[in-house]
């Protein structure tokens, strides 16, 4: 749902994916996405997205380079997921699942790790 001001309303209740996974998948889909756009797509505040990006960068899952007024992000797809139950899964395997689903919904075929 979209609020009166055009900003998506936040989701309440539990979900299967964490906000960190959603932000990472959004960045994988668009390596030059702005914080504002990531927040809108993930239904998070810009401040929450900034904290998540900081978490992901601190732990080596994500890095960025400044390009003009924006950022270009790089995901380390070889990193292992953090939870012990997923200790044999990489970021690439997670993103492959998420991006494939998104692509199928929009009729687009794209490989994980390919840059735009």
């Amino acid at each position: 749902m979209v609020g009166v001001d055009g900003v998506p309303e936040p989701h309440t209740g539990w979900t299967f994916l964490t906000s960190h996974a959603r932000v990472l998948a959004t960045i994988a889909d668009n390596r030059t996405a702005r914080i504002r756009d990531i927040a809108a797509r993930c239904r998070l505040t810009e401040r929450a997205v900034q904290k998540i990006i900081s978490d992901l960068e601190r732990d080596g899952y994500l890095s960025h380079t400044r390009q003009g007024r924006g950022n270009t992000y790089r995901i380390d797809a070889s990193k292992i997921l953090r939870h012990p139950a997923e200790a044999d899964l990489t970021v690439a395997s997670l993103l492959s699942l998420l991006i494939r689903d998104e692509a199928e919904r929009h009729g687009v075929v794209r490989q994980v790790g390919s840059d735009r």
Side-chain angles (χ1 to χ4, degrees):
M1 291 222 166
V2 177
V4 175
D5 56 2
V7 175
E9 293 177 4
H11 179 274
T12 57
W14 68 275
T15 64
F16 284 101
L17 296 176
T18 67
S19 296
H20 284 65
R22 268 192 209 91
V23 167
L24 199 62
T26 300
I27 291 171
D29 189 48
N30 180 358
R31 310 251 188 224
T32 60
R34 298 176 305 168
I35 299 280
R36 176 181 305 154
D37 299 329
I38 297 167
R41 183 166 172 187
C42 296
R43 296 182 179 215
L44 298 168
T45 65
E46 290 180 33
R47 185 176 179 134
V49 170
Q50 288 171 332
K51 175 161 181 352
I52 289 167
I53 288 174
S54 177
D55 290 345
L56 293 169
E57 286 186 322
R58 182 184 59 246
D59 290 343
Y61 290 90
L62 186 67
S63 61
H64 75 275
T65 54
R66 192 86 175 140
Q67 297 211 324
R69 292 175 43 188
N71 291 318
T72 298
Y73 296 97
R74 183 187 162 283
I75 296 171
D76 184 348
S78 67
K79 289 281 285 186
I80 302 297
L81 299 182
R82 290 174 42 104
H83 194 280
E86 291 99 28
D88 59 337
L89 296 174
T90 63
V91 169
S93 60
L94 172 67
L95 292 176
S96 176
L97 175 68
L98 296 175
I99 291 171
R100 182 176 56 235
D101 177 61
E102 185 74 13
E104 288 171 359
R105 283 192 275 162
H106 296 288
V108 177
V109 177
R110 200 174 140 229
Q111 260 188 350
V112 172
S114 65
D115 289 327
R116 288 185 156 184

